[in-house]
Amino acid sequence: MQHLNGASQERVKKKKASPNRLGATLTLILFMVGLPVLSVIGMEFLERGSMSQTMSWLTANQPLFVLNVILTFCLLALVYAIVGSLAISGAIATAVLGLMALISYMKVKMIGEPFFPWDILLNKESMDIASLVTGKAALIRIIAVIIIVLAVLALRWVIPRVTIPIIARAGLGLISLYALYAFGIKTPLASKVIDHAGVSEIVWDQQQNYANNGLALAFTLNVKNSIVQKPDTYNESAIASAAAGIQQAEVSGATGAGLKKAVSLPAGKKPNVIFIMSEAFWDPTLLTNVKFSEDPVPTIHRLQKESATGYLLSPQFGGGTANVEFEVLTGNSMSFLPGGSIPYQQYVSKPLPSLASYFAGLGYKSMGIHSYEGWFWDRNTVYKQLGFETFKSSEYFTNPEIKGYFISDAEVARNIIAETDKTENPMFIYTVTMQNHGPYDEPRYGENKYKAEGNLSAQAKSILETYTQGAHDADQSLQMLIDHYAESDEPTMLIFYGDHLPMLGMDYQVYKEAGFISTSNANAWTLEENKKMHSTPLVMWSNFTMPKEGLGTISASFLGAHVLDMLQLQKPANFTLDSEVAKQTPGLLGNLVIDSNGELQAKAPESMQPLITDYRNVQYDLMFGKQFLANYIDHEYLTKSSQPNYNSELTAAADGGHAEAEGARKPAASQ
């Protein structure tokens, strides 16, 4: 009888357990499906800022929405396989996805670019800039993400406890990891799924890419863009053909006397060549419906009447200074690299021919000067690979003047003067300033002298006036250099320009209110608006005779070749090719081409493609390929290694200073 009662109790327990297992299974399924669905909706809402826009995207792009859900499910499943708790896994996955959406939202608002996989490598750079970004909308989003993460975590005490065997969890984790990998590198199977869903990658316009495909999918698809794919046209015969074209261009240039105008230099003297890339420098008087109490940039306006001037077509807006440096120094174009990539961070890991290595080969001292910390954008190591002998970052400035948040532009000018005055050899200096880096929300220069008048909100007026005060200081630092070298017996050439337009408020606030652009939606800009939002003033000055000429609007990647032409120097192979491309397409961005007649087009016409293909192939050869070009032309320049004494001058001086300071702290008897 006891045995029968025991069996009966066991059956009752099983009957009770069965519904519990069913409930736990349903909970697992609902959680693993429901949370990714809600996460995708939440991420898109955070980035788009409007639930109606989010739902419009979802209903119009259901297959893309499903792919985003699948990817977020894979992330959740991978975390669950490792952690083993539904609620904790959900909280972790939600925190990761929420952080992605927050970063993307803030990047788009600041500089018009979403969050990329390679941004993870920026570590200190992104944190440093993030510390300067504030705003009510951003804070609301951050608080919302924190609340949602805590709410998901609180489900630990609400939902039934679910356990699955460790082998099943491991299998789920491996499948999820492989799925993320497959979409990240776009395996053949993943490619079929992507094509079937109607995914259209727009790598040259990443903001549109994310808007069309959704944050999770666009971010994952960009993983493969961390490695630049070899062009289909790249091989040794293509490079040999490009080399032949370069050699022919060199012969034509040498015999075409009409192509070069007279430059008068003192006999036997090489000029100092000084590039000044002024942080976020632009001419605020170009704003359509705004007037200022007085001219904030008189030096620029005077030079625009007296010397060689034009506009630099920048590949960036509001940030990404290193990419403009990359184009000017190497002559390479960002338009051949994945949208949003940072070559300094991702690709420059070996010696790369540049203006620095070229001038070093002519007997110049090649020096970089930047009034910020050397680790930023990896300049410490990249400048070595570009052939600089010395890189003077803020760590090597002595008691510098600070204006606003950063070292002043006047202090940078004083350092340029000091370096050229104490150096016997002619100098090539590439200078990057920092004083007028954003944000401009607070009047950080005290009383702003230059008052803006126009139909602007109080916030926009304050932002513009703070920026304009900094632009005036940059203008005056250029005048300081002109005043010095006008009295110097060292022939010197100054090339001054801004790296990109400043970010004047979120959503292009000042530009929109001033009528400079018609909409804050960058994807809806006309070609002319796109050109305006990427064009910074470019002026040149020298204390020796140089022709006054209008440069028009030229891409940053073509500036170096143009300067070498003005100095009547024989250009190396890659800069010769730059000159040839610039004759057909003086302006070349991923989504904007300016032809030789000044006409604007969204992409280069077929007639220009052969030369642009050579340009792309040569760039790939120098950066990632087998360096075939060096077998045909300019072998020594193209294969030059970094300078073995890189920065030894400054590090030795710094070590000596530290030793002296240590000695000063010791008792007199021990010195």
Side-chain angles (χ1 to χ4, degrees):
M1 184 63 108
Q2 255 183 342
H3 175 72
L4 288 174
N5 285 340
S8 177
Q9 288 173 356
E10 208 42 53
R11 282 194 297 272
V12 170
K13 283 181 182 178
K14 284 182 179 179
K15 285 181 181 179
K16 287 183 177 178
S18 181
N20 287 341
R21 282 199 299 271
L22 180 62
T25 302
L26 288 173
T27 298
L28 176 65
I29 294 171
L30 287 173
F31 190 88
M32 296 297 284
V33 174
L35 186 62
V37 169
L38 295 174
S39 294
V40 171
I41 294 173
M43 289 170 72
E44 296 302 321
F45 173 66
L46 277 174
E47 189 174 31
R48 296 170 193 269
S50 163
M51 185 54 73
S52 63
Q53 289 182 23
T54 300
M55 298 311 294
S56 295
W57 169 79
L58 190 157
T59 52
N61 302 279
Q62 292 181 18
L64 301 181
F65 172 70
V66 171
L67 281 183
N68 278 268
V69 170
I70 290 171
L71 291 171
T72 54
F73 166 82
C74 289
L75 174 64
L76 175 60
L78 179 61
V79 177
Y80 175 66
I82 297 169
V83 175
S85 165
L86 272 184
I88 295 175
S89 302
I92 293 172
T94 302
V96 169
L97 296 170
L99 184 61
M100 284 177 59
L102 285 171
I103 294 172
S104 196
Y105 163 79
M106 286 190 279
K107 275 196 69 186
V108 168
K109 292 297 181 184
M110 287 193 298
I111 59 175
E113 290 182 350
F115 180 47
F116 302 116
W118 44 88
D119 286 335
I120 297 168
L121 301 175
L122 301 186
N123 46 69
K124 288 169 68 179
E125 287 91 334
S126 55
M127 292 304 296
D128 186 84
I129 297 302
S131 67
L132 301 177
V133 179
T134 57
K136 182 179 177 182
L139 291 175
I140 290 173
R141 283 167 166 78
I142 291 169
I143 293 169
V145 169
I146 292 172
I147 291 172
I148 292 169
V149 170
L150 293 176
V152 174
L153 186 60
L155 293 175
R156 187 180 184 189
W157 291 277
V158 177
I159 60 177
R161 190 175 181 84
V162 180
T163 57
I164 62 175
I166 188 70
I167 294 177
R169 268 174 48 199
L172 179 64
L174 289 172
I175 292 171
S176 299
L177 182 62
Y178 176 76
L180 292 171
Y181 166 81
F183 278 96
I185 68 164
K186 207 171 180 181
T187 63
L189 178 59
S191 295
K192 289 182 180 179
V193 174
I194 289 167
D195 292 341
H196 184 72
V199 175
S200 177
E201 282 193 85
I202 313 172
V203 294
W204 59 90
D205 187 348
Q206 289 285 0
Q207 193 172 347
Q208 188 66 44
N209 193 33
Y210 278 59
N212 288 358
N213 296 317
L215 175 56
L217 179 58
F219 181 90
T220 305
L221 292 177
N222 264 319
V223 169
K224 69 182 182 305
N225 291 332
S226 297
I227 301 173
V228 177
Q229 299 297 313
K230 183 176 75 171
D232 294 337
T233 53
Y234 174 72
N235 52 51
E236 186 168 5
S237 62
I239 296 299
S241 175
I246 292 169
Q247 289 170 325
Q248 180 58 46
E250 289 179 344
V251 171
S252 299
T255 57
L259 297 177
K260 293 183 178 179
K261 298 179 182 179
V263 173
S264 176
L265 278 168
K269 281 202 170 187
K270 296 177 180 177
N272 297 315
V273 180
I274 302 172
F275 284 71
I276 303 109
M277 189 169 75
S278 184
E279 170 59 40
F281 184 83
W282 180 67
D283 182 355
T285 67
L286 293 174
L287 287 172
T288 315
N289 301 318
V290 174
K291 294 190 180 301
F292 289 91
S293 54
E294 57 183 290
D295 186 356
V297 287
T299 305
I300 296 298
H301 290 157
R302 187 186 76 250
L303 290 177
Q304 287 176 335
K305 297 174 183 176
E306 298 175 356
S307 63
T309 64
Y311 285 89
L312 188 84
L313 190 65
S314 171
Q316 301 296 133
F317 171 85
T321 297
N323 287 353
V324 189
E325 277 175 64
F326 167 78
E327 285 208 344
V328 175
L329 283 167
T330 67
N332 293 327
S333 175
M334 289 298 303
S335 61
F336 301 140
L337 299 173
S341 59
I342 311 290
Y344 276 19
Q345 288 280 339
Q346 297 167 252
Y347 312 130
V348 184
S349 57
K350 64 179 183 179
L352 183 65
S354 77
L355 289 175
S357 58
Y358 168 77
F359 277 101
L362 297 181
Y364 278 66
K365 178 180 180 180
S366 288
M367 184 176 197
I369 297 179
H370 183 30
S371 51
Y372 199 60
E373 297 172 33
W375 55 261
F376 206 68
W377 298 123
D378 272 352
R379 285 187 181 94
N380 273 337
T381 54
V382 169
Y383 273 27
K384 180 178 181 179
Q385 306 291 13
L386 295 180
F388 283 94
E389 179 182 335
T390 308
F391 173 41
K392 187 174 187 178
S393 54
S394 63
E395 296 94 320
Y396 299 107
F397 280 58
T398 304
N399 298 320
E401 175 192 28
I402 305 297
K403 196 153 190 184
Y405 304 139
F406 306 107
I407 292 175
S408 73
D409 286 353
E411 183 70 25
V412 175
R414 286 190 285 269
N415 272 263
I416 293 172
I417 291 168
E419 293 297 335
T420 55
D421 283 356
K422 76 179 184 183
T423 304
E424 291 185 9
N425 289 350
M427 294 194 72
F428 166 75
I429 300 180
Y430 196 89
T431 316
V432 184
T433 70
M434 191 68 177
Q435 179 191 317
N436 211 25
H437 195 290
Y440 315 101
D441 299 333
E442 300 294 332
R444 68 195 201 210
Y445 300 121
E447 180 66 24
N448 294 322
K449 179 180 177 182
Y450 300 91
K451 304 300 182 183
E453 300 174 7
N455 188 23
L456 299 173
S457 64
Q459 183 185 41
K461 186 175 186 294
S462 175
I463 290 171
L464 178 57
E465 289 178 351
T466 297
Y467 169 76
T468 301
Q469 184 64 53
H472 171 74
D473 290 347
D475 178 273
Q476 292 306 289
S477 73
L478 174 59
Q479 186 61 53
M480 182 191 301
L481 292 170
I482 292 172
D483 290 342
H484 174 80
Y485 291 111
E487 301 298 323
S488 172
D489 60 358
E490 290 189 41
T492 300
M493 180 181 187
L494 304 175
I495 305 99
F496 180 96
Y497 51 93
D499 53 348
H500 52 69
L501 271 71
M503 187 193 76
L504 299 177
M506 294 291 188
D507 285 328
Y508 312 99
Q509 180 184 4
V510 172
Y511 300 103
K512 178 68 169 61
E513 289 188 22
F516 194 69
I517 52 175
S518 59
T519 174
S520 57
N521 179 6
N523 295 317
W525 289 344
T526 64
L527 292 176
E528 183 59 38
E529 286 175 323
N530 207 0
K531 176 190 172 187
K532 290 196 301 182
M533 294 297 280
H534 286 270
S535 297
T536 67
L538 165 64
V539 296
M540 299 183 190
W541 176 91
S542 65
N543 58 4
F544 52 88
T545 302
M546 291 193 71
K548 176 185 182 297
E549 59 179 304
L551 306 176
T553 301
I554 61 172
S555 279
S557 56
F558 302 143
L559 176 59
H562 196 89
V563 169
L564 297 184
D565 275 339
M566 293 184 73
L567 291 170
Q568 296 187 1
L569 293 172
Q570 183 177 351
K571 298 187 298 294
N574 54 330
F575 286 96
T576 298
L577 180 56
D578 288 348
S579 287
E580 294 305 300
V581 178
K583 289 174 185 176
Q584 291 190 12
T585 55
L588 182 62
L589 299 181
N591 57 356
L592 174 67
V593 171
I594 304 174
D595 66 22
S596 56
N597 297 317
E599 298 294 325
L600 307 183
Q601 302 178 52
K603 62 179 183 178
E606 286 301 316
S607 61
M608 300 177 188
Q609 288 302 329
L611 198 54
I612 290 176
T613 297
D614 282 348
Y615 187 20
R616 181 194 295 269
N617 285 337
V618 166
Q619 177 170 320
Y620 182 86
D621 185 63
L622 296 177
M623 293 186 68
F624 312 105
K626 297 183 178 181
Q627 294 188 292
F628 292 131
L629 187 64
N631 297 332
Y632 298 92
I633 188 172
D634 279 352
H635 180 83
E636 183 179 353
Y637 162 74
L638 294 174
T639 59
K640 186 178 294 185
S641 59
S642 58
Q643 298 203 41
N645 61 339
Y646 171 71
N647 242 18
S648 59
E649 170 194 354
L650 292 179
T651 53
D655 290 343
H658 291 318
E660 189 176 324
E662 286 295 324
R665 284 193 284 269
K666 292 179 181 179
S670 65
Q671 289 186 23

